[in-house]
């Protein structure tokens, strides 16, 4: 029986396809392709953004810590201060001065800079303002013979009738720091227009409240302004160096840049014009008194009255008259 030849094999080419795509309508397949492309584009962007955010939070400056004795206090507003004893202010000997910078407007948390009136260059400095306030309150809590004066006038027309000093007092009150033991020993001075007046006018307020002049003065301010207060303002007032102390707390940022700006815009100007009698310092004083306020310290403190308007022919010369703290 003759052998049968098998029929030739037929090769069928079956295309390899993704089953889901084979059964998906054409528009849906296009959407999936587009979605894949978007994922490939946006995923690296999201990862990069996440990396940048993590680097920022790791490397950003640490927030300024509030003084330890005040860190646990609340922010629920005034306490009423019922039962505050009338302090014998005549027994106080030490003056603590906290110069004002920004203006807290009195509503909301003072830790939120949205509740302050600030100049553009003061953004990010509210933590330092609050550290100054807290340190001042801490000092009068620790020293029963100390009076704390928040100093600063109504310097910004945009802030209205809110003074720097009033804002600092309100911030301390809002934080719950003005407890009954210090309430009567924390006051305001609301006429100062610059750093020299912060010290001089606070001395006057101390005298108005106590009938005496301070045996010791401590200023709480920016570290980069230390030399201005210690070397220039103290010398202008002829206050003994051994009885004058300065506590410096800087805002976050480049300390060298802050010091360089201070030397150019602050220290050097006062070094050439010790009492701010003319030029840019006098102009600054005028601009910082938009409501034309005037004080009565020359009447309430006649012993130091010449200092309030002192302008020597030689602008670097210090006052040589008699002063209560020189006796």
């Amino acid at each position: 029986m003759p052998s049968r030849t098998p029929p030739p094999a037929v090769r069928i080419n079956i295309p390899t396809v993704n089953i889901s795509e084979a059964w998906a309508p054409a528009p849906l397949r296009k959407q999936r392709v587009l979605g894949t492309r978007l994922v490939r584009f946006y995923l690296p962007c999201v990862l990069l953004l996440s990396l940048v955010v993590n680097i920022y939070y790791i490397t950003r400056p640490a927030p300024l810590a509030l003084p330890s004795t005040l860190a646990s206090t609340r922010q629920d507003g005034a306490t009423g201060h019922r039962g505050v004893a009338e302090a014998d202010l005549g027994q106080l000997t030490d003056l603590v001065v906290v110069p004002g910078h920004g203006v807290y407007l009195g509503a909301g948390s003072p830790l939120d800079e949205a509740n302050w009136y600030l100049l553009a260059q003061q953004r990010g400095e509210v933590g330092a303002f609050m550290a100054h306030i807290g340190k001042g309150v801490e000092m009068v809590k620790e020293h029963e013979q100390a009076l704390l004066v928040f100093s600063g006038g109504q310097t910004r027309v945009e802030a209205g009738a809110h003074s720097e000093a009033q804002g600092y007092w309100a911030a301390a009150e809002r934080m719950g720091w003005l407890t009954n033991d210090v309430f009567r020993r924390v006051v305001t001075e609301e006429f100062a227009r610059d750093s020299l007046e912060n010290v001089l006018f606070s001395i006057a307020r101390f005298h108005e409240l106590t009938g005496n002049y301070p045996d010791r003065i401590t200023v709480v301010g920016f570290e980069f302004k230390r030399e201005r207060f210690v070397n220039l303002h103290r010398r202008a007032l002829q206050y003994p160096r051994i009885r004058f102390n300065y506590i410096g707390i800087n805002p976050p940022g480049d300390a060298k840049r802050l010091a360089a700006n201070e030397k150019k815009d602050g220290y050097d100007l006062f070094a050439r014009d010790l009492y701010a009698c003319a030029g840019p310092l006098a102009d600054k004083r005028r601009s910082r008194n938009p409501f034309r306020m005037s004080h009565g310290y020359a009447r309430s403190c006649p012993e130091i009255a010449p200092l309030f308007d002192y302008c020597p022919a030689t602008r670097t010369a210090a006052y040589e008259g008699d002063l209560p703290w020189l006796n």
Side-chain angles (χ1 to χ4, degrees), residues 11-322:
R11 169 169 288 200
I12 300 175
N13 292 322
I14 302 175
T16 303
V17 296
N18 184 296
I19 294 178
S20 62
E21 290 184 359
W23 288 97
L28 182 56
R29 290 200 299 272
K30 290 181 180 179
Q31 290 177 14
R32 287 175 175 171
V33 171
L34 179 60
T36 302
R37 290 176 180 173
L38 289 176
V39 169
R40 288 175 180 173
F41 175 77
Y42 283 112
L43 184 58
C45 295
V46 172
L47 292 175
L48 179 61
L49 178 61
S50 176
L51 178 63
V52 170
V53 170
N54 279 279
I55 291 174
Y56 167 76
Y57 278 101
I58 291 171
T59 61
R60 66 175 178 169
L64 288 164
L66 296 174
S68 58
T69 59
L70 304 175
S72 62
T73 52
R74 61 188 184 277
Q75 302 176 44
D76 57 357
T79 59
H81 300 289
R82 295 177 180 175
V84 175
E86 183 66 24
D88 186 359
L89 300 179
Q91 302 300 312
L92 302 183
T93 58
D94 288 40
L95 168 62
V96 179
V97 182
V98 176
H101 300 285
V103 181
Y104 171 58
L105 301 175
S109 170
L111 300 176
D112 183 352
E113 70 175 22
N115 299 321
W116 292 68
Y117 176 77
L118 301 170
L119 301 179
Q121 64 269 26
Q122 293 177 316
R123 296 291 174 185
E125 295 186 354
V126 164
F129 301 165
M130 293 303 296
H132 296 168
I133 294 168
K135 186 62 178 178
V137 175
E138 184 180 58
M139 291 188 69
V140 296
K141 284 181 176 290
E142 293 175 349
H143 302 284
E144 294 182 354
Q145 292 184 309
L147 177 76
L148 171 58
V149 178
F150 294 126
S151 174
Q154 298 174 6
T155 57
R156 311 294 177 192
V157 68
E158 297 86 351
H162 298 277
S163 70
E164 294 171 353
Q166 182 188 74
Y168 274 38
W169 190 98
E173 171 77 343
R174 184 82 180 188
M175 293 295 292
W177 294 345
L178 300 186
T179 49
N180 290 353
D181 57 326
V182 300
F183 184 75
R184 287 288 287 120
R185 292 186 291 120
V186 180
V187 300
T188 61
E189 184 293 303
E190 301 188 56
F191 295 98
R193 299 164 293 177
D194 62 26
S195 52
L196 175 60
E197 290 187 343
N198 286 141
V199 182
L200 176 58
F201 290 4
S202 294
I203 292 173
R205 283 293 287 137
F206 186 95
H207 179 73
E208 288 181 336
L209 289 160
T210 69
N212 306 307
Y213 290 96
D215 291 341
R216 286 165 294 275
I217 297 175
T218 298
V219 178
V220 182
F222 292 126
E223 175 60 32
F224 62 81
K225 291 186 178 182
R226 175 185 295 273
E227 300 303 316
R228 186 203 301 191
F229 279 88
V230 174
N231 293 340
L232 299 179
H233 298 339
R234 182 197 59 78
R235 183 167 71 87
L237 303 179
Q238 291 295 290
Y239 203 86
R241 178 64 184 91
I242 197 171
R243 293 157 52 192
F244 190 93
N245 186 34
Y246 190 90
I247 297 174
I249 304 173
N250 267 348
D254 185 344
K256 290 184 178 180
R257 180 184 58 81
L258 292 172
N261 290 340
E262 156 61 14
K263 186 176 188 308
K264 175 173 61 76
D265 299 329
Y267 186 93
D268 286 351
L269 296 180
F270 275 105
R272 295 192 296 266
D273 187 3
L274 205 55
Y275 296 93
C277 294
L281 292 178
D283 292 341
K284 185 176 290 187
R285 279 185 176 177
R286 283 189 288 270
S287 70
R288 288 181 174 175
N289 189 17
F291 300 103
R292 303 297 184 265
M293 305 293 288
S294 59
H295 62 79
Y297 296 141
R299 293 190 300 274
S300 60
C301 308
E303 301 88 351
I304 61 173
L307 287 175
F308 296 112
D309 296 308
Y310 186 65
C311 283
T314 303
R315 291 184 184 152
T316 58
Y319 181 75
E320 295 181 349
D322 188 35

